[in-house]
Amino acid sequence: MTHVSRIVTFCIGLGLSAGLTTVATAQSKDNTPKYSNEFLNIGVGGRALGMGKVQVSLADDATAGYWNPAGLLGQKTKYDAVLMHSELFSGIVKNDYAAFSTPLDDKSAIGVSLVRLGVDDIADTRNLINEYGYIDYNKIQYFSIADYALLVSYARKIGNVEGLTIGGSGKIIYRNIGSFANAWGFGIDAGLRYNHAGWQFGLTARDVTTTFTAWTINSEKFQNTTLTGDSIPTNSTEITLPRFVLGASRSVKLPGQFTALVAADLEMTTDGKRETPISTSLVSIDPRAGLEVGYNNVVFLRGGISNFQKLKSFTGQKEWYAQPSFGVGVATNGLRLDMAFSRLAVGSIAGQKTGQANSIIVSLGYGFK
């Protein structure tokens, strides 16, 4: 385990040093909002979301390009493809994902991932009243708000350290608000994975160099529509600060043909103080845990807990909430069908939950030679 401690300590120290240096520089500007490009942190894959998004040390198929590109070398087939669809808020928000990966040789692999989160068919009623003062429904126009990301990933084995792989993903981001505004961005994710004596360790550094997203505003669309005193938005640049996720997992053989996989992640954000279990002005840490019980490597039951937050109710008291998730999966002849259900309480009054954000996730994967 000496190699493990040295590698993990080195990577955490190097990553946090780079990240905190970037934070100190970036926070002197007014373009580093919290939750920037947050659509890329919702998660992908039915297996992952059923386990509370605990995947940094686990992902070994096409989804590794998203969770930890170093995991692409764990792929067991020549080609792997994954499709996912999930919906939030009674289907208003749709989250779609597609990925493909393949090894180049016994020491390297590549992957491509595409993510879309969007709300479609939004009614623009600004011209609902015609020039005669009457309602004219033919004047209603519809538009969409959507965020896109394309990730191109590469992983490679490190020859002098058995079980160690590293990887990186370059990502292009496009965000669109109808004809009102759009943005282009570019960033880099990096990761490593280390397997030793039945243990798996992973570290992902997202937006490790910070991700720059440049917004272009169509100011003409805002003419005569802003309220008195409101200013028309202008072109701007948004910076996404680094985020680090450290994970560990282990698979255990149970009696009969049962197996159990236990995993945990620590997510560290650097965009300011959050309501997480460990929270400072420089870094906030949120733990996650997941469990997968399998039978004969065919049927799987999953559970996880994540997103610990201390929320303030209308009574002024703060209470801890967490996001539970559950899932089921079937794998046979290279085909993988995974479903997950997640529920998040978004508020409370006098201890009573006032709202729920529900998500049903379905993903289909196929590995073939």
Side-chain angles (χ1 to χ4, degrees):
M1 297 294 288
T2 304
H3 284 153
V4 177
S5 59
R6 289 179 178 176
I7 292 170
V8 172
T9 302
F10 171 77
C11 292
I12 293 175
L14 180 62
L16 287 179
S17 297
L20 295 179
T21 300
T22 304
V23 172
T25 303
Q27 287 187 341
S28 65
K29 305 176 183 179
D30 192 27
N31 56 354
T32 58
K34 280 188 180 180
Y35 312 110
S36 173
N37 290 330
E38 190 67 14
F39 76 101
L40 283 175
N41 296 314
I42 294 176
V44 301
R47 182 196 188 202
L49 296 176
M51 296 181 67
K53 301 194 294 185
V54 181
Q55 286 291 295
V56 169
S57 64
L58 296 179
D60 57 3
D61 54 17
T63 62
Y66 172 92
W67 293 108
N68 184 352
L72 289 172
L73 279 167
Q75 184 172 313
K76 301 175 180 63
T77 58
K78 177 63 175 176
Y79 305 103
D80 193 76
V82 177
L83 297 174
M84 185 205 76
H85 177 74
S86 67
E87 298 185 357
L88 293 165
F89 304 103
S90 300
I92 296 175
V93 180
K94 295 179 173 58
N95 185 23
D96 296 294
Y97 166 78
F100 175 82
S101 62
T102 182
L104 297 177
D105 50 42
D106 60 344
K107 292 185 177 180
S108 60
I110 59 171
V112 178
S113 308
L114 180 64
V115 180
R116 180 191 187 270
L117 180 75
V119 179
D120 300 310
D121 297 324
I122 302 172
D124 181 354
T125 61
R126 292 176 301 165
N127 298 318
L128 182 61
I129 308 298
N130 63 21
E131 63 271 24
Y132 303 107
Y134 296 103
I135 295 177
D136 185 356
Y137 291 103
N138 294 323
K139 295 281 188 178
I140 298 178
Q141 297 181 332
Y142 295 88
F143 66 97
S144 297
I145 296 177
D147 298 328
Y148 300 85
L150 174 67
L151 290 80
V152 180
S153 308
Y154 176 79
R156 186 166 185 85
K157 290 182 179 179
I158 301 301
N160 58 347
V161 181
E162 183 67 25
L164 178 64
T165 59
I166 61 173
S169 295
K171 55 188 178 185
I172 299 173
I173 295 170
Y174 176 69
R175 308 184 67 181
N176 176 257
I177 306 176
S179 58
F180 302 96
N182 63 74
W184 287 94
F186 177 78
I188 295 175
D189 298 343
L192 65 81
R193 184 169 168 177
Y194 182 65
N195 302 330
H196 180 77
W199 286 91
Q200 299 179 103
F201 301 91
L203 174 65
T204 296
R206 296 185 179 176
D207 307 299
V208 65
T209 59
T210 71
T211 293
F212 294 84
T213 307
W215 282 94
T216 300
I217 307 298
N218 186 354
S219 58
E220 294 181 359
K221 288 288 184 177
F222 293 90
Q223 298 293 339
N224 303 321
T225 61
T226 55
L227 298 175
T228 303
D230 287 350
S231 59
I232 297 176
T234 58
N235 296 349
S236 62
T237 300
E238 183 178 294
I239 298 176
T240 306
L241 297 178
R243 174 187 304 244
F244 304 91
V245 186
L246 176 65
S249 60
R250 185 177 178 87
S251 181
V252 179
K253 186 78 170 73
L254 299 179
Q257 301 185 60
F258 289 93
T259 58
L261 178 62
V262 182
D265 283 354
L266 290 177
E267 182 177 70
M268 297 164 277
T269 54
T270 62
D271 57 2
K273 190 173 183 179
R274 299 191 179 196
E275 295 293 340
T276 56
I278 300 175
S279 180
T280 70
S281 58
L282 290 179
V283 62
S284 296
I285 301 178
D286 186 25
R288 301 196 289 250
L291 171 67
E292 178 183 76
V293 177
Y295 175 73
N296 198 28
N297 289 324
V298 174
V299 180
F300 302 90
L301 293 177
R302 305 177 178 115
I305 189 166
S306 61
N307 198 25
F308 289 89
Q309 293 189 54
K310 199 171 188 179
L311 303 178
K312 191 174 184 179
S313 68
F314 287 103
T315 62
Q317 296 180 342
K318 286 190 174 182
E319 301 176 5
W320 282 104
Y321 290 94
Q323 180 178 2
S325 55
F326 308 93
V328 61
V330 177
T332 179
N333 296 324
L335 184 66
R336 308 184 304 275
L337 176 62
D338 298 301
M339 298 183 64
F341 176 80
S342 182
R343 170 171 289 185
L344 173 65
V346 296
S348 68
I349 300 177
Q352 299 297 317
K353 295 177 182 178
T354 60
Q356 299 284 347
N358 298 327
S359 177
I360 298 176
I361 305 102
V362 178
S363 70
L364 182 67
Y366 186 58
F368 54 98
K369 296 182 179 180

